[in-house]
């Protein structure tokens, strides 16, 4: 039979997605640059369903039913361009080429525009959830034309994760919208992980609790508002004991966090759009600092400051304060990430339903969490807040943060006093206080800018643009 869908690029992600398609009853064409991976997939997992393997790209394309749907799962960047070029020469107008790799959304926009000129649909598709998600149900964020989603959507929805019966896949928006949203997803993931790490550090160095005990605490937290995949795996990582030394696993691992770049892209894009995503930025910077081995070694024991000791009278109350501060900071980080999505949508003309985005993040991805239901409710088109307002203005979240105030401030202030770094918690609180301030010191900055660069300013009491003759008699002139 002709295949319903094809996958080219059969490394871990591609082969698991191909198996997922096959297991869901789709006839699945498979192809890889070197045939060995294709053969291995058929030999090891041929029983998962109906596969149609091909050695050549031409045979692969010929094995597909029209309109052809071809998912590319190769290394992002040049390999993706090479494969697109090869396929584009073989397919016909109305066929659909999908890039499921971690592409930059700007590359996706470029590729979509180029293929559209040839009548080919190009769908940049964010796929989250790693190899486990690929096999058992990822969160899928497809962009591209609405037309392509008509035939592609049902297949992707079928293989995606499902939560409460709803697929974790929806058409995000045109051209690069899917990869943009996947990028912000990863940025939020960075922020979430950083905040969790700070909470751990506060409990470890601040309260002197053991990793095993903190693991239990995270296990408890996972039953409440913080219920999420990342909290759940944090509990497991903290309870892990190193087989060789008998020491807690977290104590034998080098404290330098790696990264592959999507967090950085999220922050770079936010800077381009002028959106303050301080929680995500601090998370990227914190990974950078952790990896700055020479700097840290030179500073350790030299730069003075408190040693992290925290006089804690009531440990249970402290633990609860940290939990609440974590939740409040997390809400801010998500609000900032969603602001970036609103800004991207406005800049690139995407009609993105943010409530639906939160809904498809509930399963099959790293930031899956119970509280995403609340975000979906907050942005419900019929009953939610007016777009593109900050998530913090949705009544549920306004209340949650209002109730968190005392704990959040005690934790951030105490951490500063004790000398424990909490860039994520502190940035979130500063952002919150900045957002709600009626007056910000930006007026002074406008004065400075006008002083040294004649950059002009606006007045609070009348329209127009003004400049003060700082180097003259300091009278005010109206410039527009
Ligand atoms: P890799 O990113 O390791 O890519 C390996 C695949 O790319 C192999 O099939 C390889 O073929 C193929 N390839 C390369 Br490299 N250069 C090629 C070229 N010039 N022409 C044709 N094929 C080429 O695989 P992965 O880890 O499965 O990830 C696939 C994509 O999914 C990436 O974009 C990744 O960022 C993204 N992603 C990964 C994860 C994850 O958890 N790993 C999660 C979400 C998204 P060969 O076998 O012939 O060398």
């Amino acid at each position: 039979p002709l295949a319903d869908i094809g996958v080219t690029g059969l490394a871990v992600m591609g082969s698991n997605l191909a198996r997922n398609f096959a297991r869901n009853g789709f006839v699945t064409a498979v192809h890889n640059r070197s045939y060995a991976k294709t053969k291995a997939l058929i030999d090891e997992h041929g029983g998962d369903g109906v596969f149609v393997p091909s050695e050549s790209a031409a045979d692969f394309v010929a094995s597909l039913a029209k309109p052809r749907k071809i998912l590319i799962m190769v290394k992002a960047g040049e390999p993706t361009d090479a494969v697109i070029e090869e396929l584009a020469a073989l397919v016909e107008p109305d066929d659909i080429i999908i890039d499921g790799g971690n592409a930059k959304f700007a590359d996706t926009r470029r590729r979509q525009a180029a293929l559209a000129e040839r009548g080919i649909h190009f769908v940049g598709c964010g796929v989250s959830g790693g190899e486990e998600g690929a096999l058992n149900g990822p969160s899928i964020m497809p962009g591209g034309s609405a037309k392509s989603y008509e035939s592609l959507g049902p297949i992707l929805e079928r293989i995606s994760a499902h939560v409460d019966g709803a697929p974790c896949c929806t058409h995000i928006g045109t051209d690069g919208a899917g990869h943009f949203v996947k990028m912000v997803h990863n940025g939020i993931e960075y922020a979430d992980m950083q905040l969790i790490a700070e909470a751990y550090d506060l409990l470890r160095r601040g309260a002197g609790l053991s990793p095993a005990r903190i693991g239990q605490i995270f296990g408890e937290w996972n039953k409440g508002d913080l219920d999420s995949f990342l909290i759940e795996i944090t509990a497991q990582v903290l309870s892990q004991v190193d087989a060789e030394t008998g020491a807690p696993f977290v104590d034998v691992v080098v404290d330098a966090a790696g990264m592959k770049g999507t967090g950085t892209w999220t922050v770079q894009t936010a800077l381009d759009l002028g959106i303050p995503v301080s929680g995500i930025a601090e998370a990227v910077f914190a990974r950078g600092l952790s990896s700055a081995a020479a700097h840290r070694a030179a500073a350790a024991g030299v730069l003075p400051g408190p040693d992290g000791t925290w006089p804690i009278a009531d440990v249970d109350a402290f633990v609860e304060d940290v939990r609440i501060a974590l939740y409040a900071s997390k809400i801010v980080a998500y609000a900032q990430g969603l602001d970036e999505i609103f800004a991207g949508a406005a800049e690139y003309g995407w009609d993105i339903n943010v409530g639906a985005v939160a809904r498809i993040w509930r399963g099959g991805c790293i930031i899956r969490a119970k509280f995403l239901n609340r975000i979906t409710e907050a942005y419900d088109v019929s009953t939610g807040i007016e777009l593109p307002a900050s998530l913090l203005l949705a009544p549920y979240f306004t209340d949650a943060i209002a109730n968190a105030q005392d704990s959040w401030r005690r934790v951030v202030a105490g951490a500063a006093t004790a000398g424990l770094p909490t860039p994520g918690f502190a940035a979130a609180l500063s952002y919150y206080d900045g957002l709600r301030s009626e007056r910000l010191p930006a007026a002074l900055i406008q004065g400075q800018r006008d002083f040294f660069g004649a950059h002009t300013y606006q007045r609070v009491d009348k329209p127009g643009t003004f400049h003060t003759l700082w180097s003259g008699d300091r009278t005010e002139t109206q410039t527009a």
Side-chain angles (χ1 to χ4, degrees):
L2 287 174
D4 301 303
I5 187 147
V7 181
T8 183
L10 300 175
V12 54
M13 290 296 290
S15 54
N16 279 357
L17 284 166
R19 294 176 63 195
N20 189 349
F21 285 123
R23 285 177 175 185
N24 277 287
F26 297 109
V27 177
T28 307
V30 286
H31 171 263
N32 193 66
R33 173 176 61 175
S34 48
Y35 190 64
K37 282 199 178 71
T38 313
K39 184 170 182 311
L41 171 64
I42 301 300
D43 288 350
E44 289 162 33
H45 305 291
D48 277 354
V50 183
F51 292 102
V52 184
S54 293
E55 282 201 49
S56 75
D59 288 348
F60 170 62
V61 169
S63 73
L64 285 151
K66 296 177 193 176
R68 300 183 182 88
K69 298 163 203 74
I70 303 176
L71 175 61
I72 302 174
M73 287 308 293
V74 304
K75 211 178 255 315
E78 276 174 30
T80 303
D81 278 315
V83 173
I84 290 171
E85 219 20 71
E86 184 177 27
L87 291 174
L90 296 167
V91 299
E92 293 168 275
D94 296 334
D95 285 348
I96 306 167
I97 295 179
I98 308 127
D99 175 18
N102 267 336
K104 289 185 179 166
F105 77 95
D107 285 343
T108 301
R109 284 168 55 78
R110 166 177 61 77
R111 291 164 178 155
Q112 191 276 333
L115 290 190
E117 280 182 15
R118 298 156 77 166
I120 302 164
H121 293 282
F122 181 74
V123 175
C125 185
V127 180
S128 181
E131 47 185 292
E132 199 276 334
L135 183 62
N136 298 315
S139 176
I140 310 181
M141 293 152 255
S145 64
K147 177 82 185 145
S148 65
Y149 197 79
E150 282 174 18
S151 57
L152 179 63
I155 301 179
L156 295 182
E157 289 183 11
R158 182 87 162 269
I159 69 144
S160 74
H162 284 70
V163 176
D164 301 336
C168 293
C169 173
T170 191
H171 183 229
I172 302 289
T174 52
D175 60 75
H179 275 139
F180 186 96
V181 164
K182 170 64 171 28
M183 173 189 76
V184 175
H185 162 283
N186 284 30
I188 290 174
E189 174 186 315
Y190 272 60
D192 211 338
M193 292 169 72
Q194 172 64 24
L195 294 171
I196 290 171
E198 289 176 20
Y200 155 73
D201 206 28
L202 290 165
L203 300 181
R204 183 83 193 268
R205 290 206 280 162
L209 302 178
S210 69
R213 174 74 193 108
I214 300 170
Q216 288 171 348
I217 290 169
F218 274 93
E220 285 300 313
W221 288 358
N222 199 39
K223 296 174 188 159
D225 291 332
L226 287 167
D227 180 340
S228 63
F229 173 70
L230 281 170
I231 294 285
E232 181 194 324
I233 66 166
T234 299
Q236 293 193 35
V237 173
L238 287 173
S239 65
Q240 178 78 2
V241 173
D242 178 50
E244 207 175 306
T245 60
F249 169 82
V250 283
D251 287 352
V252 301
V253 174
V254 173
D255 58 344
M259 48 184 163
K260 281 187 171 172
T262 44
T264 304
W265 295 351
T266 310
V267 178
Q268 285 170 335
T269 303
L271 291 173
D272 289 341
L273 293 167
I275 301 300
V277 291
S278 50
I280 301 170
E282 289 295 348
V284 174
F285 293 152
R287 289 197 194 189
L289 180 62
S290 78
S291 301
H295 253 53
R296 288 178 58 195
V302 176
L303 298 182
D307 64 2
T309 320
W310 191 318
I312 293 165
D314 180 342
V315 172
D316 290 342
F318 176 74
V319 169
E320 182 62 0
D321 272 355
V322 173
R323 183 188 71 82
I324 291 169
L326 172 57
Y327 188 51
S329 303
K330 173 172 162 143
I331 291 169
V332 170
Y334 277 66
Q336 293 178 339
L338 297 180
D339 281 348
E340 183 168 350
I341 293 178
F342 289 130
E347 175 73 17
Y348 299 107
W350 299 320
D351 183 17
I352 298 180
N353 178 339
V354 173
V357 168
R359 181 170 52 71
I360 68 165
W361 286 348
R362 292 181 309 163
C365 70
I366 307 299
I367 64 171
R368 59 186 184 258
K370 210 160 125 189
F371 106 127
L372 289 162
N373 278 321
R374 299 297 190 172
I375 298 183
T376 303
E377 287 162 17
Y379 287 120
D380 186 296
V381 280
S382 52
T383 56
I385 50 176
E386 206 170 304
L387 299 177
S390 170
L391 180 68
L392 301 173
L393 295 177
Y396 174 83
F397 290 103
T398 307
D399 285 354
I401 294 233
N403 296 333
Q405 294 285 309
D406 293 351
S407 298
W408 200 12
R409 294 180 193 285
R410 263 197 302 273
V411 168
V412 172
T417 303
L420 287 171
T422 54
F425 281 29
L429 182 55
S430 276
Y431 174 87
Y432 177 77
D433 283 334
L435 188 62
R436 69 191 188 86
S437 290
E438 264 176 51
R439 291 280 294 165
L440 289 170
L444 173 60
I445 293 173
Q446 284 297 81
Q448 294 163 336
R449 294 179 68 245
D450 191 58
F451 191 111
F452 66 67
H455 291 301
T456 74
Y457 52 88
Q458 257 98 44
R459 294 184 56 102
V460 296
D461 52 358
K462 55 184 173 188
T465 302
F466 301 89
H467 168 57
T468 293
L469 300 172
W470 295 103
S471 55
D473 63 1
R474 303 207 167 182
T475 55
E476 185 175 77
T477 58
Q478 185 160 3
T479 62

